[in-house]
Amino acid sequence: MTMIGLEIHCQLTNLNSKLFCSCKANYREFEINENICPICMGLPGSLPRLNQEAVKKATIIAMALNCSTPEKIAFFRKNYFYPDSPKNFQTTQLNIYGDTSVGGTGSIMVGDKKIRITRIQLEEDPGRLIYEGSSSKNQITLVDYNRAGTPLVEIVTEPDFETPKEVRDFLNILSDILTNLGVADPSLEGAMRADANISIEGGKKVEIKNIGSFHDLEKATHFEITRQESLHSRDIEIIQETRHWDDKRKITVSSRSKEEELDYRYFLEGDIPWIKMDPEIHKKLQTQMPESIRSKKERYITKYNIPAQVADVLSSDKYYSDLFEESHTETNAKEVANIITTDLMGLVDTREKREASKFTATHLKELADSIQSGKVSRNSSKNALHEILKTGKDLTTVISELDLGNVSDESELSGIVSQVIKEESQAVEQAKSNPQTINFLVGKVMQKTKGKADPILTLELLKKQIGI
Ligand SMILES: [Zn+2]
């Protein structure tokens, strides 16, 4: 049996400042080593000051993952000497002296399977090492401390995963939950990183570190399981070790270096007092929490009669559900859901495309209402959507510029309808005895108008002229 446990590091990307100082949490917008101060550099005499918002956001994550939340939290020093750590220790949390991390045990459902969460801790991210040089002999390492001290949440799971696919499904769900909470943006480069523990057939546990993306995490677990199975089948002992994920070669590599075998000498961070978590704060956070994905999905199904599969897609992606919430009305909800899941999804499936898109909830509402009122056909609405995404122009302008509007002028359409009635006398007779067959005649009018006849008006005129 395969057992996989995960440690997921997730940056709290929606905060203004770092975890213990007022440098910016968004380190990405700075030149190298511009976003630093004496506190995050650990200079003598500087004192940390805890970012309250970070504690709240980490607590919200703990609540969303059904974790227990302790009455008091504390911070510890994890001592290690490595160039990415300017202070020579990382300020983090630890549960060995009682539950003092922001989140205790919890769980989330992945399909029918319960994945147990061991704990959730709040800690600071280290700096970033940049490797340069053309050969192994000529290697130099540069360090950028802009990231040092930015808030990170570590989510630790029990070894409940049995396959790389379960890992992937869990990460997708986790990623949707974090985005929905508005605390993190997993699509940002480096915002999610992970370590994995893997053992097979009750053997020794191998830890894989340094996995830089969710995509690679699935690949890394897959590679490691195959490696261990191959050793196992040849009766070669699997040794307990730490391996690194080499994302260029897509393999795990044994890390024999001495600095990996560390004694972290954890001790309580004396510069930050214990923080009492008032039950009132927990209650308040609970009420401020955004509606869960599950509850959104149920609401879409029961209130608007949206099919379960569509509701699933709509609710799990915050970008789509926000668009839906801002643009739907009692009457157009199904049409809005339809436009998002059949037309829009393929056009804005990446972060870059979403950022470049000029499409807004107002556009979406106009589009749905115009389809429903017969102003534009569903077919033409797709072309209009393309144009709006590119230009951000309003729908009426796009319809007139691209001549996408339906023929809804009664006298013009009336003429086309009488022409069709003349040409299709047999079908007209049939429609008189069986009104269902009138759709054939609607189709003929559509053909003549290249799909631009207002379908509601067409049907009305056909019935009127035939006399049914
Ligand atoms: Zn700082």
Side-chain angles (χ1 to χ4, degrees):
M1 195 176 118
T2 304
M3 285 168 87
I4 309 168
L6 302 177
E7 285 175 20
I8 295 152
H9 296 94
C10 158
Q11 291 179 341
L12 297 175
T13 51
N14 287 354
L15 287 170
N16 288 328
S17 46
K18 288 187 179 179
L19 192 50
F20 302 113
C21 64
S22 57
C23 293
K24 296 281 179 229
N26 181 11
Y27 60 91
R28 291 175 175 85
E29 62 187 22
F30 288 89
E31 292 297 322
I32 285 179
N33 289 319
E34 251 196 348
N35 185 38
I36 56 173
C37 75
I39 298 173
C40 53
M41 291 301 98
L43 297 188
S46 67
L47 283 171
R49 194 170 167 188
L50 180 63
N51 181 340
Q52 223 184 86
E53 279 305 305
V55 177
K56 286 183 186 166
K57 293 224 155 64
T59 305
I60 284 176
I61 295 177
M63 287 171 165
L65 302 183
N66 309 301
C67 294
S68 58
T69 43
E71 287 172 13
K72 279 203 273 184
I73 61 166
F75 285 87
F76 289 80
R77 287 188 183 190
K78 178 182 180 178
N79 297 281
Y80 70 99
F81 186 76
Y82 201 63
D84 65 357
S85 162
K87 303 193 293 188
N88 293 338
F89 61 85
Q90 179 192 30
T91 311
T92 181
Q93 296 193 293
L94 192 67
N95 276 351
I96 54 166
Y97 307 117
D99 284 352
T100 56
S101 290
V102 281
T105 52
S107 66
I108 55 173
M109 294 302 291
V110 177
D112 294 333
K113 189 166 180 171
K114 188 188 231 178
I115 300 296
R116 292 168 299 158
I117 310 284
T118 317
R119 68 174 180 280
I120 295 180
Q121 63 195 50
L122 181 60
E123 60 189 27
E124 55 183 346
D125 214 351
R128 223 161 44 89
L129 298 180
I130 304 161
Y131 302 96
E132 290 200 345
S134 50
S135 68
S136 55
K137 278 187 180 166
N138 197 17
Q139 192 86 40
I140 53 165
T141 304
L142 303 169
V143 61
D144 174 14
Y145 288 126
N146 283 349
R147 194 179 72 181
T150 53
L152 202 62
V153 160
E154 181 171 333
I155 300 165
V156 183
T157 80
E158 293 291 317
D160 288 345
F161 304 95
E162 289 167 78
T163 63
K165 187 188 174 297
E166 283 180 1
V167 168
R168 184 184 62 199
D169 292 346
F170 169 81
L171 296 174
N172 285 340
I173 290 173
L174 179 66
S175 182
D176 289 341
I177 291 175
L178 295 174
T179 313
N180 186 57
L181 290 173
V183 294
D185 184 350
S187 69
L188 272 175
E189 197 250 321
M192 289 279 201
R193 308 186 297 274
D195 301 339
N197 295 301
I198 301 173
S199 65
I200 62 161
E201 313 298 338
K204 298 260 172 59
K205 203 165 74 174
V206 174
E207 188 176 19
I208 311 172
K209 284 197 173 283
N210 200 29
I211 310 168
S213 74
F214 279 4
H215 184 66
D216 275 3
L217 183 53
E218 189 190 357
K219 280 192 178 156
T221 48
H222 192 267
F223 176 89
E224 185 55 25
I225 291 166
T226 313
R227 188 190 71 88
Q228 291 188 22
E229 278 172 352
S230 158
L231 292 174
H232 188 71
S233 68
R234 288 178 284 148
D235 280 335
I236 301 171
E237 198 195 345
I238 296 161
I239 49 165
Q240 181 159 355
E241 62 175 340
T242 299
R243 297 177 72 86
H244 273 246
W245 173 244
D246 182 333
D247 66 349
K248 288 206 176 68
R249 291 187 289 164
K250 305 290 175 202
I251 56 169
T252 64
V253 193
S254 180
S255 51
R256 296 187 185 86
S257 56
K258 274 270 188 292
E259 74 259 32
E260 291 298 330
E261 297 151 27
L262 289 166
D263 170 10
Y264 290 124
R265 296 179 295 114
Y266 280 99
F267 60 84
L268 197 64
E269 170 57 88
D271 288 341
I272 301 169
W274 285 69
I275 293 116
K276 192 167 173 266
M277 298 296 284
D278 190 336
E280 286 304 313
I281 295 178
H282 281 145
K283 262 191 224 160
K284 209 170 160 191
L285 288 176
Q286 198 89 47
T287 56
Q288 285 169 356
M289 257 174 54
E291 186 183 11
S292 74
I293 292 172
R294 187 178 292 232
S295 144
K296 271 189 210 172
K297 183 182 166 183
E298 275 161 25
R299 181 162 57 86
Y300 296 165
I301 296 171
T302 51
K303 195 167 175 197
Y304 305 113
N305 209 12
I306 290 171
Q309 221 177 343
V310 175
D312 200 25
V313 175
L314 208 56
S315 57
S316 57
D317 188 314
K318 190 174 189 302
Y319 177 78
Y320 297 133
S321 66
D322 281 354
L323 267 179
F324 178 81
E325 297 296 342
E326 286 168 40
S327 59
H328 82 276
T329 60
E330 291 285 326
T331 48
N332 73 6
K334 264 185 121 164
E335 193 63 60
V336 168
N338 188 32
I339 297 172
I340 294 176
T341 52
T342 58
D343 303 331
L344 187 66
M345 259 177 70
L347 301 171
V348 286
D349 53 355
T350 64
R351 179 190 177 81
E352 291 73 30
K353 287 182 196 168
R354 286 176 186 189
E355 276 172 0
S357 146
K358 300 211 160 64
F359 190 71
T360 65
T362 314
H363 288 124
L364 182 54
K365 183 179 181 306
E366 275 181 342
L367 207 52
D369 290 345
S370 302
I371 293 172
Q372 281 193 321
S373 69
K375 192 173 160 197
V376 67
S377 72
R378 182 153 292 155
N379 217 6
S380 303
S381 78
K382 291 186 178 43
N383 296 335
L385 184 61
H386 270 274
E387 187 65 14
I388 295 169
L389 280 172
K390 268 192 290 177
T391 64
K393 288 178 181 168
D394 67 276
L395 183 65
T396 316
T397 313
V398 169
I399 287 175
S400 83
E401 279 182 7
L402 301 184
D403 190 23
L404 294 173
N406 275 344
V407 179
S408 50
D409 179 74
E410 195 169 333
S411 64
E412 189 187 346
L413 204 53
S414 198
I416 300 167
V417 166
S418 26
Q419 208 185 334
V420 167
I421 288 176
K422 250 184 240 161
E423 286 168 12
E424 305 287 344
S425 53
Q426 213 182 329
V428 170
E429 286 312 308
Q430 214 177 349
K432 280 181 185 166
S433 54
N434 182 5
Q436 295 275 311
T437 61
I438 202 164
N439 284 332
F440 173 79
L441 294 168
V442 174
K444 285 285 161 193
V445 176
M446 285 297 174
Q447 253 176 27
K448 283 198 186 296
T449 57
K450 296 194 179 90
K452 294 202 290 186
D454 176 342
I456 299 160
L457 187 59
T458 305
L459 190 64
E460 212 175 277
L461 291 170
L462 273 167
K463 282 183 174 170
K464 198 168 144 196
Q465 293 193 22
I466 298 171
I468 52 172

